[in-house]
Amino acid sequence: MRLINTKTRELESFEGPPPAYAILSHTWGSDEVTFQDYQSNAAATLKSIKIDGCCGQALKDGFGYVWIDTCCIDKSSSAELSEAINSMYAWYHGAAICYVYLSDVPGGRDLGVDDLHFRRSRWFTRGWTLQELLAPSRIAFYDQDWFAIGNELKKRNSEGITVENCLTDLVSAITGIPLPYIDLSRPITRASVAERMSWAAKRKTTRAEDIAYCLLGIFNVNMPLLYGEGKKSFVRLQEEIVKEYDDHTLFFWHDQSAGSNGSCFARQPADFGGFGDVRIVNPNSKYHVKSSHYLTTNKGLLIQLSAIQLESKDYVVRFYCTTDALSDGGYEREKCAAIPLVRIMGEESTFYRPGVVRPYLVSCSLFRSIAPAFMYITKVNPAYPLWQTGLAIQTSFATLLTINEIHPPNWKVNLVMATERDLISGSQVIFLSCTDNNKRNIAVRIEYKYSISHQKAHVLCPVGIRCYLALIPEAKSLMELLLLEAVDRRQEDLDWASCIQTGTSWIAVNLTRVLPPLGPSDVVNGSGADLECGIGLRWCQSKEALMKLRGKGCLSFNLEDRSSR
């Protein structure tokens, strides 16, 4: 470990335990002094406000040495860089004090009056500074002129009592990290994997690989650095976490990025955003089940889970985690995470997680009679040929209904696709969970059979289409109701009908036309516009008016308010 002597400004190396030292946390600029600068110039000739300010403050505080990453690491040596990054959390934890230099916070401002610059500092948005906030036992913030900002931040005095500080609450509010982890009254090992990931959800790094490498110390894992691997580094990080943790919160994430094809692992920390309250199921709960071992293989994640197949042919598996937000702590109503999966064609126990799938919370009791079984969840989704089914949801549908959930999850809004697995049965059931403008939850059920109208172009022609509606009871979700139907064969909670009443209005399904099957010589419109089926919904003030409209035709899958006409 190299340290800078605060009196001579020279670099000194220590093979054994180093002397007491201060450490600098900052964001990089364009004029940093590097290790190579130290090698080619006399230390006394090097000019840097960061080095001068850090050494000067350390001397005032009685420290003979400081560590600064820009010049204490020889980044031209890949071996030294790898060792430094894997040791960095320990180095910050071992420092006597950490000086946080905020180069974008103007000097001479009273934080109590004007903390806007402090809140907006770039330091709070960078990936590497997360461990630099959490690891040290003492932190002091400084503005661009090296004037102290507030009092020293955190953590505990010599008697182990947390020191009161006005900055702790502010830093907690800025970062979204709960106060006990800021002031060290609770070790970060008490936080779940998902919670720790959520702390990095809004942070960025210059190199794509560093978003994983900067979290090594947060999870106390080590791995070699492979610059050039890009976002694969974050997958490798999760594989290392699997080896060390029995924590299913690692799988509680939602990838909302465009073009995501899904995986058993998240693509980035941002996928954990908003899931900071996810925790492992209470071990004292009667629904707690001790999880079996799991590991990554060439086929993906091998794990033992309870699975239920829905009528829409997708599977829902239970993970042993939940959130405080939707659980009242009572055993009967305790929730657990449920994630839809799709079984891979020809594989009895191999599944993939579609990219658009989000985790749900359902009652643990739904899985009480389902024995766990080993399964594989792939790291890369299979590249199946997709079939155009001819069902499209028009953009005007969104004016009155918002689609929140689709089963099966491998179907897409606007142009619904079917995998080759669906062709085995020649039929499909689709469920949509929607919300109208009055915040009422409405379920839509579409069932049909289809024939192959154009084998080469993967085009299907739906026939015998039937569509139903149902009001979703309050405090229930479509996912829970579908699981209940699959497990207990109960259907009374969803009263499916061709028309339903919502307050003083009526909504009905209108089926008007289905285009004939395409012949082998017909030209296929790649957009799917020529394959639309006439499935529509109508909204009227009375059931009598609704019946008159049902025979007049409608646009495909449109909602239209006729009450004012």
Side-chain angles (χ1 to χ4, degrees):
M1 183 181 189
R2 295 188 188 90
L3 296 173
I4 300 175
N5 187 305
T6 56
K7 294 180 179 180
T8 66
R9 307 293 170 89
E10 297 284 351
L11 283 174
E12 299 181 18
S13 298
F14 298 90
E15 297 297 332
Y21 61 93
I23 199 165
L24 179 68
S25 175
H26 65 110
T27 57
W28 278 49
S30 58
D31 56 348
E32 300 293 345
V33 175
T34 66
F35 175 77
Q36 282 68 34
D37 293 329
Y38 257 90
Q39 295 293 97
S40 58
N41 297 277
T45 65
L46 296 173
K47 298 299 181 182
S48 168
I49 189 172
K50 290 181 182 179
I51 296 176
D52 294 342
C54 185
C55 290
Q57 187 61 46
L59 276 173
K60 292 179 182 178
D61 294 338
F63 299 109
Y65 294 91
V66 298
W67 186 90
I68 302 175
D69 59 346
T70 55
C71 49
C72 291
I73 303 173
D74 181 6
K75 295 179 177 61
S76 65
S77 169
S78 59
E80 181 173 330
L81 180 61
S82 179
E83 178 185 1
I85 288 179
N86 277 277
S87 305
M88 201 167 293
Y89 188 92
W91 289 349
Y92 274 89
H93 182 70
I97 189 172
C98 176
Y99 301 135
V100 177
Y101 176 69
L102 306 180
S103 59
D104 53 356
V105 175
R109 292 179 178 269
D110 184 354
L111 184 63
V113 176
D114 181 11
D115 66 354
L116 186 60
H117 289 87
F118 184 77
R119 287 177 177 273
R120 292 181 176 177
S121 176
R122 184 168 172 263
W123 188 84
F124 291 108
T125 68
R126 307 306 295 171
W128 288 107
T129 57
L130 177 60
Q131 65 177 358
E132 296 165 14
L133 169 65
L134 295 171
S137 58
R138 295 171 60 195
I139 289 183
F141 286 92
Y142 294 88
D143 61 29
Q144 61 184 211
D145 295 330
W146 277 98
F147 287 107
I149 300 175
N151 299 323
E152 180 184 313
L153 175 65
K154 65 178 184 180
K155 300 243 181 153
R156 288 174 174 241
N157 60 20
S158 58
E159 286 80 32
I161 302 174
T162 301
V163 179
E164 294 293 333
N165 189 287
C166 64
L167 282 182
T168 53
D169 289 333
L170 180 57
V171 171
S172 176
I174 295 171
T175 61
I177 301 174
L179 190 61
Y181 300 116
I182 298 291
D183 64 15
L184 288 188
S185 60
R186 183 187 303 165
I188 64 171
T189 53
R190 293 270 301 277
S192 69
V193 170
E195 183 173 11
R196 279 179 261 182
M197 286 289 191
S198 72
W199 299 341
K202 296 181 180 180
R203 293 178 179 259
K204 305 294 182 183
T205 56
T206 303
R207 298 287 297 268
E209 298 86 352
D210 284 341
I211 199 62
Y213 302 157
C214 72
L215 298 177
L216 292 176
I218 301 293
F219 293 101
N220 193 27
V221 296
N222 299 99
M223 67 184 198
L225 309 189
L226 301 174
Y227 281 105
E229 67 175 329
K231 293 185 177 181
K232 291 181 181 178
S233 63
F234 191 64
V235 174
R236 285 203 300 127
L237 171 65
Q238 292 169 90
E239 291 176 337
E240 293 300 321
I241 292 174
V242 164
K243 296 176 185 177
E244 301 292 335
Y245 290 78
D246 182 15
D247 187 339
H248 283 196
T249 67
L250 175 63
F251 310 108
F252 202 103
W253 50 267
H254 183 203
D255 184 358
Q256 303 182 61
S257 57
S260 169
N261 63 350
S263 168
C264 60
F265 293 124
R267 296 202 309 170
Q268 55 195 349
D271 297 344
F272 292 89
F275 296 142
D277 62 350
V278 178
R279 58 179 174 79
I280 300 173
V281 171
N282 187 348
N284 297 321
S285 167
K286 70 179 182 181
Y287 294 116
H288 174 74
V289 179
K290 188 176 182 180
S291 62
S292 176
H293 70 281
Y294 49 95
L295 67 156
T296 55
T297 71
N298 62 317
K299 291 188 67 174
L301 179 72
L302 176 61
I303 189 169
Q304 191 178 35
L305 299 170
S306 299
I308 298 173
Q309 185 178 22
L310 303 182
E311 187 180 3
S312 50
K313 299 179 185 177
D314 53 322
Y315 289 76
V316 177
V317 296
R318 172 195 175 176
F319 285 89
Y320 302 115
C321 55
T322 184
T323 72
D324 292 322
L326 297 179
S327 175
D328 61 1
Y331 292 150
E332 292 298 329
R333 298 187 61 188
E334 190 167 356
K335 304 284 186 177
C336 64
I339 299 177
L341 302 177
V342 177
R343 190 166 67 183
I344 291 180
M345 186 175 181
E347 297 277 354
E348 188 64 27
S349 58
T350 304
F351 300 81
Y352 73 92
R353 177 177 177 172
V356 297
V357 163
R358 66 177 178 87
Y360 297 87
L361 286 178
V362 300
S363 173
C364 294
S365 61
L366 290 168
F367 291 88
R368 65 181 181 274
S369 60
I370 308 299
F374 278 104
M375 64 179 65
Y376 292 97
I377 305 177
T378 61
K379 289 194 291 184
V380 180
N381 287 356
Y384 284 142
L386 297 177
W387 295 71
Q388 295 185 3
T389 66
L391 291 177
I393 298 175
Q394 301 298 310
T395 55
S396 57
F397 182 84
T399 62
L400 291 174
L401 279 187
T402 300
I403 300 177
N404 304 315
E405 183 181 339
I406 299 179
H407 294 278
N410 57 313
W411 286 61
K412 302 178 185 296
V413 176
N414 295 325
L415 183 61
V416 184
M417 300 289 190
T419 66
E420 289 186 343
R421 180 176 184 82
D422 298 320
L423 303 180
I424 297 176
S425 63
S427 63
Q428 181 66 63
V429 179
I430 310 169
F431 295 99
L432 306 178
S433 176
C434 306
T435 305
D436 68 8
N437 293 336
N438 294 317
K439 305 301 182 182
R440 288 181 293 252
N441 295 322
I442 299 173
V444 180
R445 174 191 177 103
I446 307 168
E447 55 184 60
Y448 61 90
K449 297 180 180 179
Y450 43 68
S451 59
I452 299 176
S453 63
H454 200 298
Q455 179 75 41
K456 186 176 181 180
H458 294 95
V459 177
L460 303 175
C461 177
V463 295
I465 302 175
R466 290 183 291 181
C467 192
Y468 305 95
L469 301 170
L471 287 174
I472 300 176
E474 293 185 10
K476 293 282 187 179
S477 68
L478 179 60
M479 167 71 82
E480 283 193 294
L481 295 176
L482 294 179
L483 285 170
L484 190 62
E485 180 178 318
V487 173
D488 296 337
R489 304 301 176 188
R490 288 175 50 186
Q491 297 185 355
E492 60 268 22
D493 291 311
L494 284 174
D495 187 12
W496 297 108
S498 59
C499 61
I500 59 174
Q501 185 176 13
T502 60
T504 60
S505 301
W506 286 82
I507 298 179
V509 179
N510 210 11
L511 303 179
T512 58
R513 63 184 179 86
V514 177
L515 293 182
L518 295 173
S521 61
D522 290 333
V523 177
V524 177
N525 186 333
S527 68
D530 289 341
L531 303 175
E532 289 181 2
C533 302
I535 302 178
L537 301 180
R538 293 287 179 165
W539 184 11
C540 295
Q541 287 297 100
S542 68
K543 190 172 184 179
E544 291 73 17
L546 184 64
M547 294 300 104
K548 293 179 181 179
L549 286 171
R550 294 190 66 186
K552 294 184 178 181
C554 65
L555 299 175
S556 58
F557 233 144
N558 278 329
L559 271 177
E560 187 174 353
D561 184 359
R562 302 290 294 233
S563 58
S564 60
R565 299 188 182 182

